Amino acid sequence: MGARRLAGLCAGPVIGFALLLLVWKIISLRIVDIPSPESTLPAAWELFKNPFYDNGPNDLGIGWNILASLGRVALGFTLAAAVGIPLGFLIGRVQALNAVFSPVISLLRPVSPLAWLPLGLLLFQAADPAAIWAIFICSIWPMVINTADGVKRVPQDYLNVARVLNLSEWKVFTRILLPSVLPYMMTGVRLSIGTAWLVIVAAEMLTGGTGLGFWLWDEWNNLNVQNILIAVLVIGTVGLLLDLFLLALARRLDYREA
């Protein structure tokens, strides 16, 4: 990649972030309670200088909180993928299952993440499983819907050929359905990880313990606005990195871009 092309690719993001900092600076000049970017930077340096300090359960470094949130997201998201992707294949492949499950999914999908949290607390009687439950139930729908939609879009000619060749259902799945559905499935996975990351921050604010959401709420109770702004930027950065990772994975698996 030439220097000129690299400069062209970087110009847009650099201008965008410069505008963000400018807006932030203007707001901080008008509202005295909002710290400026230049005063927030040293506070961020102090936080990340030693991110894994441990002064007891109520005073952990930001690194531990990021890891706690990522751990809950990984568990809830994995459970959602383990259930949602096979369910999506079944719904897309079997018309009767589509007729049964589609109305239920349409009913449950718009439910707010926080509406599921009390039910999780009631079911599991503990904060951690309740937060994982909220991630699971909210992130499962994009994977089910996108996978099922991908299966429905597989050209009928492919399936007719499989029928003529008398292929087993396993061979139809591995040779026809999976390669064709993969791009749709990965779109659902990307949407789901974004949802999971949104849910965990909100859930941790209510369940407490450790995690970025709890840390953000704790800083609000301490009226530490600098750390609140840093938490917002950290949450956005981690979410962006997760999305970029899955986008790269989706491009690698998408045969249409090969």
Side-chain angles (χ1 to χ4, degrees), residues 6 71 96 104 129 166 184 213 234 242 258:
L6 181 62
V104 178
N166 200 26
Y184 298 92
V234 168
L242 287 173

Side-chain angles (χ1 to χ4, degrees), residues 138-226:
C138 293
S139 60
I140 192 173
W141 309 124
M143 285 189 276
V144 174
I145 293 169
N146 281 276
T147 304
D149 189 47
V151 174
K152 291 172 188 172
R153 289 173 184 268
V154 172
Q156 189 58 41
D157 289 345
Y158 293 0
L159 300 176
N160 291 340
V161 170
R163 194 174 297 116
V164 169
L165 296 175
N166 200 26
L167 295 182
S168 66
E169 193 63 25
W170 175 249
K171 283 194 174 178
V172 172
F173 173 73
T174 55
R175 304 284 175 83
I176 298 174
L177 292 182
L178 187 58
S180 301
V181 173
L182 210 48
Y184 298 92
M185 195 176 79
M186 288 307 299
T187 300
V189 167
R190 284 184 61 207
L191 292 172
S192 293
I193 198 71
T195 303
W197 192 241
L198 287 175
V199 171
I200 189 59
V201 174
E204 286 172 347
M205 283 185 179
L206 299 178
T207 55
T210 56
L212 278 172
F214 169 72
W215 186 74
L216 176 62
W217 190 246
D218 197 39
E219 296 304 320
W220 164 248
N221 290 326
N222 295 327
L223 295 178
N224 191 336
V225 184
Q226 281 182 330

Side-chain angles (χ1 to χ4, degrees), residues 23-181:
V23 171
W24 180 359
K25 178 65 179 177
I26 292 172
I27 293 173
S28 68
L29 290 174
R30 289 182 171 272
I31 304 174
V32 293
D33 291 332
I34 302 293
S36 62
E38 64 269 22
S39 67
T40 304
L41 186 60
W45 170 251
E46 286 299 318
L47 275 175
F48 284 98
K49 195 168 60 176
N50 183 17
F52 292 104
Y53 73 82
D54 185 350
N55 294 331
N58 294 322
D59 187 14
L60 294 172
I62 191 168
W64 292 119
N65 289 294
I66 293 173
L67 289 180
S69 294
L70 285 174
R72 292 187 184 107
V73 166
L75 187 52
F77 175 79
T78 303
L79 290 172
V83 176
I85 291 175
L87 185 59
F89 273 103
L90 287 172
I91 290 174
R93 184 82 172 122
V94 183
Q95 183 59 36
L97 291 178
N98 181 52
V100 170
F101 282 102
S102 287
V104 178
I105 292 171
S106 298
L107 174 72
L108 298 181
R109 185 173 58 86
V111 176
S112 166
L114 294 184
W116 292 107
L117 197 58
L119 188 59
L121 289 168
L122 184 66
L123 287 171
F124 301 104
Q125 304 289 318
D128 252 12
I132 293 166
W133 152 260
I135 293 168
F136 167 81
I137 199 66
C138 293
S139 60
I140 192 173
W141 309 124
M143 285 189 276
V144 174
I145 293 169
N146 281 276
T147 304
D149 189 47
V151 174
K152 291 172 188 172
R153 289 173 184 268
V154 172
Q156 189 58 41
D157 289 345
Y158 293 0
L159 300 176
N160 291 340
V161 170
R163 194 174 297 116
V164 169
L165 296 175
N166 200 26
L167 295 182
S168 66
E169 193 63 25
W170 175 249
K171 283 194 174 178
V172 172
F173 173 73
T174 55
R175 304 284 175 83
I176 298 174
L177 292 182
L178 187 58
S180 301
V181 173

